[in-house]
Amino acid sequence: MTRCIAIAALAVLTTATPGAAAPHEGHAEIAVERAHASEGDAMQGDHEGHADHGKGGHGHEHDHAETSSSADDAPRDVALIVRTDAIVAAIAGGGEPVVVDVLGVVCDFCAKAMNKTFGKRKEIAAVYVDLDLKTLNLVIEPGAELDDAMIEELVRKAGYKTSAIRRGAAALGEG
Amino acid sequence: MGLALALASGPAANARPVSYEGGWTLIEATDRQSTSLLVHHTVDPKFSIGVRSEWDRKQDFVLNGVQATYLAKRWFGENYQANLYVYGGVGAATGVGANQAGTNAAGFVGVMADWETRRLFASYRARALAAGDVDSSFMQAARVGFAPYEGDTGDLHAWLMVEVDHRPDNADAVGVTPLVRFFKGPALLELGWSVIDNEPLANFTYRF
């Protein structure tokens, strides 16, 4: 009896939990994608409350959910660059996209601090802080360099702390 | 009139008395006790210095001085931030109205702590002031709040809060002030009403 219950429970778990068992290739990926899709849905749901969101009201669209779900090889559990008008233009101009995960970002003062700190750097073509994703989104001018150590230092000067930095294709979800 | 230094209401809780390096911040604070203006410059991510002017309406004195604030510790989390600040200042305090004590040198020290997520907030602050015959006092205040929704960057953020302050020298030693906070970009506005002694609260912070 106990064994039957255990087998039944295992069967339920392996069918109800995405990726809990991966009897054939692709399940693990599906599981991750599902997990991220749920996260993306949550983000989109959260964004629904913003009347101007993604309509130019504050000049950007959060395409992280859409982009990450369409980028086959991208890590599914990380935020991609937020495509504000300025960021899109700067990337189109040949700039290097950078996404920085920042700890402690809870309010617009945090965004202000990092916008001001990075906005006055000549290496920066575009900057945007996303409170929902807790990311600092940068585009570095073509030909300019701003290494990770300097980004970490500038975030520190703004009063915060980095936890991860993604560049180029990884920031776009293409790498 | 005199100069004296005092700190009537203390820096507004969570007005972020230390900003980003090179940043300037204006903080106006009006509560049941006093009205004050602090303009500070953040020299280092852990240290700001500013000028402070304050009118204590209950104890009838005006304080003008300088204030230094040190971020002793900031805790970072993926979804929260917490801070511990210590601050102090010196200046001159002058009795006004019914306070005929003249002008005295004054000094103050205080501590502030806050913890904040996108939806929850809690803070505590305390200050001791010595201004000779003009005034000497101690105050402490705690605040809790929540945001009914999470706004993204640049959105209008709204918070519902309540502050309880304790001022042993006052006739109404304990005050309770419900307030609303609106936050958009570099500007923060708080409006409330002290239900104990029917005094308004109006705080405004702007980060340049």
Side-chain angles (χ1 to χ4, degrees):
Chain A
M1 178 68 173
T2 304
R3 188 176 178 186
C4 291
I5 293 173
I7 292 171
L10 182 61
V12 168
L13 284 173
T14 54
T15 53
T17 307
H24 60 82
E25 188 177 351
H27 270 209
E29 184 178 344
I30 290 169
V32 175
E33 186 167 345
R34 282 177 180 169
H36 189 74
S38 298
E39 183 182 336
D41 291 345
M43 289 173 179
Q44 288 178 313
D46 178 49
H47 291 178
E48 285 172 2
H50 306 169
D52 60 351
H53 202 92
K55 298 177 181 175
H58 46 262
H60 75 282
E61 294 181 1
H62 287 206
D63 64 346
H64 40 270
E66 297 87 341
T67 301
S68 53
S69 62
S70 63
D72 293 335
D73 299 324
R76 306 292 179 156
D77 57 349
V78 297
L80 306 181
I81 196 157
V82 175
R83 297 176 187 268
T84 66
D85 293 343
I87 283 177
V88 169
I91 293 173
E96 180 192 13
V98 180
V99 176
V100 184
D101 294 334
V102 183
L103 298 176
V105 178
V106 293
C107 70
D108 264 358
F109 278 178
C110 311
K112 174 80 173 181
M114 284 183 279
N115 281 331
K116 289 289 262 184
T117 301
F118 283 87
K120 58 190 176 189
R121 297 286 302 194
K122 65 181 187 305
E123 301 96 333
I124 300 298
V127 55
Y128 179 76
V129 176
D130 191 294
L131 290 181
D132 284 345
L133 299 175
K134 302 169 186 65
T135 57
L136 166 65
N137 300 268
L138 305 170
V139 180
I140 298 174
E141 290 279 7
E145 287 190 12
L146 196 65
D147 62 23
D148 288 1
M150 179 57 73
I151 289 174
E152 289 171 0
E153 174 63 11
L154 291 172
V155 169
R156 188 194 68 79
K157 284 177 181 282
Y160 301 91
K161 184 177 181 181
T162 62
S163 63
I165 299 176
R166 294 177 291 284
R167 290 173 175 271
L172 295 171
E174 297 170 352
Chain B
M1 297 298 242
L3 285 172
L5 171 112
L7 206 104
S9 64
N14 195 39
R16 298 285 165 76
V18 178
S19 177
Y20 60 92
E21 186 174 294
W24 287 87
T25 303
L26 179 151
I27 301 173
E28 177 278 334
T30 294
D31 60 17
R32 73 188 186 108
Q33 184 78 18
S34 63
T35 295
S36 66
L37 183 68
L38 171 67
V39 178
H40 71 70
H41 177 66
T42 298
V43 182
D44 175 272
K46 283 183 169 287
F47 180 72
S48 72
I49 188 162
V51 294
R52 179 179 192 85
S53 186
E54 186 166 329
W55 170 31
D56 188 316
R57 303 188 308 277
K58 292 276 169 98
Q59 301 301 327
D60 287 327
F61 68 86
V62 173
L63 155 72
N64 292 288
V66 294
Q67 176 177 323
T69 305
Y70 178 67
L71 173 60
K73 178 70 176 176
R74 173 167 288 167
W75 291 268
F76 298 98
E78 187 175 343
N79 297 306
Y80 74 91
Q81 179 187 136
N83 302 285
L84 176 64
Y85 302 95
V86 293
Y87 64 92
V90 294
T94 300
V96 296
N99 186 337
Q100 299 182 334
T103 297
N104 273 351
F108 58 88
V109 293
V111 61
M112 289 180 283
D114 63 66
W115 173 87
E116 182 179 2
T117 71
R118 300 279 301 282
R119 299 295 292 267
L120 299 172
F121 175 85
S123 70
Y124 173 80
R125 60 194 164 103
R127 185 194 68 240
L129 162 73
D133 294 337
V134 175
D135 191 50
S136 291
S137 62
F138 170 79
M139 65 79 61
Q140 58 182 337
R143 183 188 287 201
V144 293
F146 79 97
Y149 63 92
E150 288 186 6
D152 199 0
T153 311
D155 290 345
L156 177 65
H157 304 242
W159 289 78
L160 302 175
M161 298 179 156
V162 62
E163 179 170 293
V164 177
D165 65 301
H166 175 226
R167 302 171 191 272
D169 295 336
N170 285 13
D172 293 316
V174 176
V176 177
T177 307
L179 63 131
V180 293
R181 165 185 288 182
F182 298 106
F183 203 157
K184 183 172 175 58
L188 181 154
L189 174 68
E190 294 177 339
L191 298 171
W193 193 263
S194 170
V195 297
I196 301 299
D197 46 10
N198 288 321
E199 292 278 356
L201 178 146
N203 297 332
F204 178 73
T205 298
Y206 193 90
R207 178 149 292 173
F208 295 94

